[in-house]
Amino acid sequence: MCGLHHGTGATEECAAALRTAQPELNEQNAQDLAFLYEGHIGLCLKALTDPAAKVARAAARELCRQAQQQDTYRVQALLAGYEKDKDSAAAVLWQATQAASAALRRPGFDGVQPDTAARILRAAEAARRAMKANGNLRLALTVCGMEMAAR
């Protein structure tokens, strides 16, 4: 059963279920999504069909790419766009933690190397904790961006 256990079997089952549910999805994209969300079919389908999840995933991918390039300006500019929308900021940061986790499990996943993935994970989790504690969103995102793109 897709998503009930982690590992290669769950990921393969999930990828197959994704291809059945979304026939236009190619095999590599299905496998990457299944790996990214650790075999959780619901998360995979949401990433494919929910407009807000698609936007958050795309922003997180760009955030991770810019962090990998250590482009502080672009990381900060991307995060600044969420300074007035806590829910969307939280969604992007959650997606970034998923991407970072995937890059730690498979170095180079989506172009992110483990050292960058570790920075992204630490920074995003710290920002999410600050946001849950009703900390200043702008400050949390600024610090997060600086830590993600650190040299």
Side-chain angles (χ1 to χ4, degrees), residues 73-89:
Y73 176 80
R74 289 200 171 131
V75 168
Q76 292 293 7
L78 191 150
L79 290 174
Y82 294 94
E83 290 177 353
K84 296 182 189 228
D85 187 350
K86 184 177 179 180
D87 291 338
S88 292

Side-chain angles (χ1 to χ4, degrees), residues 15-93:
L18 282 172
R19 287 190 304 277
T20 299
Q22 301 280 320
E24 69 282 359
L25 189 64
N26 73 41
E27 186 169 334
Q28 185 62 53
N29 287 342
Q31 288 181 9
D32 285 349
L33 274 175
F35 179 78
L36 175 67
Y37 297 113
E38 298 184 72
H40 293 276
I41 188 70
L43 293 174
C44 294
L45 289 172
K46 184 177 181 178
L48 289 171
T49 61
D50 180 87
K54 285 181 180 181
V55 169
R57 172 77 180 115
R61 288 182 86 187
E62 184 61 22
L63 181 64
C64 291
R65 284 188 186 115
Q66 297 307 325
Q68 179 63 46
Q69 295 176 16
Q70 297 179 318
D71 190 331
T72 305
Y73 176 80
R74 289 200 171 131
V75 168
Q76 292 293 7
L78 191 150
L79 290 174
Y82 294 94
E83 290 177 353
K84 296 182 189 228
D85 187 350
K86 184 177 179 180
D87 291 338
S88 292
V92 169
L93 292 176

Side-chain angles (χ1 to χ4, degrees), residues 2-18:
C2 207
L4 293 181
H5 61 284
H6 298 291
T8 305
T11 301
E12 289 174 5
E13 282 181 45
C14 186
L18 282 172

